[in-house]
Amino acid sequence: MSKRDYYEVLGVEKTASFEEIKKAYRKLAFENHPDRNPGDKEAEARFKEAAEAYDVLRDDEKRVHYDRFGHTDMNGGFGGFTNEDIFSQFGDIFENFFGFGGGGRSANRPTVGDDLRYNLKITFRQAAKGDDVRLTIPRTANCPDCKGMGAAEGSKPETCPQCGGKGQVFVQQGPFRFASTCPKCHGKGTVISKPCPRCKGDGHIQEKRELTVHIPAGVYDGARLRLRGEGEAGRNGGPNGDLYVVIHIEADKVFDRDGQDLIYSTKIPFTKAALGAKIKVPTLDEEIEFEVPKGTQSGAVYQVKGKGLPFPGEKRTGNLLIEVVVETPTNLTEEQKELLQALDSLFDKHEAKLSSKIKKKLKDIIG
């Protein structure tokens, strides 16, 4: 049986942002959660299908792979889910949903740390050529003294006496039974009688992480570079989140950009535009000589292949577009005015001569 398109499963467009995908998944997961639909196999199937779609579309690399190849080559990119996989990866989404995902089963389950975002401003030339940039990222990390457990050396977390390790307490109001987070252990299911002196029982400390991020040549403004495991520390032995470095490119004084094409605008006198001329044009490497054709009009654009920006991760390169602006002279000297007036007279005589020939031809035709 063929699988449904992941975007169709979540009910979003292929251009949907991560937040739109996340919102759609949360809605479907809540509606079809097994705890909310006990015994409903169809709801369980929809729940698993939504979880699988979300796991692919939330990951930049998996999403690009899926957009190109669809469900083919799935073993190379993604896999299926079991119930345990779903709860282990997305269990945090169901916390506080009428107690879904709570209780002893989830109170001490390993959870993934939060993702971090870092806005990185780079120069146009760094974006064009690529670069390695050193960053210092503040983040939470597992306490090295207690290994993230929060308990002092020689002790360990104990089962919460108020909730019995469930992380929740229940209140009966008439015919309804409501669940709420245990006030003593705050949903962890355990309490620490002897907290670690360094982290004060939290299990985490603040640190500044130094790392190097590689900027690929030809990167575009707004691109997100994902560094796996460089986000906040996980809980209960869970893995770290990821770090997303968002690229912001400064404007360049020489070139404009259209995708991977570079645009260079140059002004030339009208005489060179009329007669043609060789001009020097900058590129990302060295200057090149370009021949402006005779009779070039202002606003004409000429293309030099392969002198633009590289496509990230590919061997092909964009082009250099040369926009020619023809200048009209101002503040002429008397000698220049005389020469231009003489040239204008020649144009008038030429037009008059042409007009005379056209009139004679018409006369011969009409008789």
Side-chain angles (χ1 to χ4, degrees):
M1 182 177 179
S2 61
K3 291 187 177 182
R4 284 203 299 157
D5 178 78
Y6 285 148
Y7 295 100
E8 179 186 342
V9 169
L10 297 182
V12 297
E13 299 293 331
K14 288 192 174 183
T15 55
S17 66
F18 171 73
E19 288 302 323
E20 290 171 328
I21 291 171
K22 185 177 181 180
K23 183 178 179 181
Y25 169 66
R26 283 175 178 263
K27 182 175 182 294
L28 287 171
F30 175 73
E31 292 174 350
N32 297 287
H33 195 281
D35 287 355
R36 197 165 186 252
N37 302 273
D40 188 338
K41 296 298 183 183
E42 291 185 3
E44 183 180 351
R46 290 192 296 270
F47 177 75
K48 291 180 180 179
E49 185 181 42
E52 182 176 326
Y54 177 63
D55 181 63
V56 171
L57 299 185
R58 72 171 181 162
D59 184 299
D60 289 342
E61 294 180 13
K62 290 182 180 180
R63 185 174 179 180
V64 169
H65 183 96
Y66 176 72
D67 287 343
R68 292 183 65 184
F69 303 108
H71 290 293
T72 61
D73 190 27
M74 295 296 282
N75 292 332
F78 332 117
F81 284 89
T82 65
N83 279 331
E84 191 61 32
D85 291 330
I86 294 169
F87 281 105
S88 65
Q89 295 199 44
F90 309 119
D92 59 314
I93 290 181
F94 308 116
E95 298 294 340
N96 301 320
F97 277 177
F98 299 97
F100 294 162
R105 181 177 61 177
S106 66
N108 294 307
R109 177 181 291 121
T111 56
V112 180
D114 290 336
D115 293 336
L116 292 177
R117 172 184 173 127
Y118 186 93
N119 294 316
L120 177 63
K121 183 177 287 188
I122 61 174
T123 66
F124 189 89
R125 301 299 166 132
Q126 282 178 301
K129 291 295 187 178
D131 198 4
D132 290 325
V133 180
R134 193 74 177 167
L135 303 180
T136 301
I137 307 295
R139 68 173 190 176
T140 61
N142 285 324
C143 174
D145 290 359
C146 66
K147 306 299 187 292
M149 298 301 294
E153 186 177 358
S155 65
K156 61 181 181 179
E158 302 166 355
T159 301
C160 175
Q162 186 163 342
C163 66
K166 294 180 179 179
Q168 293 179 329
V169 292
F170 297 88
V171 179
Q172 190 78 30
Q173 292 185 1
F176 299 103
R177 190 167 181 253
F178 295 93
S180 63
T181 302
C182 175
K184 186 171 182 64
C185 67
H186 305 292
K188 295 180 179 179
T190 58
V191 291
I192 298 173
S193 58
K194 295 181 180 180
C196 169
R198 182 166 182 175
C199 66
K200 305 299 189 291
D202 182 75
H204 288 156
I205 60 169
Q206 292 294 320
E207 70 168 11
K208 290 186 177 180
R209 167 78 166 163
E210 292 191 357
L211 50 89
T212 300
V213 58
H214 175 67
I215 310 298
V219 68
Y220 56 88
D221 190 71
R224 295 196 313 165
L225 307 180
R226 183 182 186 184
L227 281 70
R228 294 180 181 273
E230 295 296 348
E232 302 277 32
R235 289 280 179 181
N236 301 319
N240 288 3
D242 297 329
L243 170 65
Y244 289 91
V245 178
V246 182
I247 302 298
H248 300 282
I249 303 173
E250 296 176 346
D252 191 67
K253 295 180 180 179
V254 178
F255 299 108
D256 288 321
R257 178 176 181 174
D258 181 14
Q260 301 310 104
D261 291 338
L262 291 177
I263 303 173
Y264 173 71
S265 182
T266 184
K267 295 179 180 180
I268 62 172
F270 78 100
T271 50
K272 292 185 183 295
L275 300 174
K278 291 182 179 181
I279 61 173
K280 295 290 186 180
V281 174
T283 69
L284 292 173
D285 299 309
E286 71 286 327
E287 280 190 338
I288 61 171
E289 191 175 75
F290 178 76
E291 187 167 347
V292 178
K294 297 177 181 178
T296 290
Q297 301 297 304
S298 187
V301 177
Y302 300 101
Q303 177 179 277
V304 180
K305 291 187 176 181
K307 289 297 182 179
L309 296 167
F311 286 80
E314 301 182 32
K315 294 182 179 180
R316 60 194 182 109
T317 306
N319 304 314
L320 172 63
L321 305 179
I322 304 172
E323 180 186 28
V324 178
V325 178
V326 179
E327 288 188 298
T328 301
T330 58
N331 301 320
L332 298 172
T333 65
E334 290 301 319
E335 183 181 7
Q336 290 171 332
K337 287 180 182 178
E338 289 177 5
L339 288 172
L340 287 177
Q341 286 170 351
L343 179 62
D344 187 52
S345 296
L346 289 175
F347 282 135
D348 287 343
K349 288 179 181 179
H350 180 67
E351 289 178 1
K353 187 176 181 181
L354 285 175
S355 178
S356 176
K357 286 183 178 181
I358 291 171
K359 288 179 180 178
K360 183 176 183 303
K361 188 68 174 177
L362 287 173
K363 185 176 181 181
D364 291 342
I365 294 173
I366 297 173

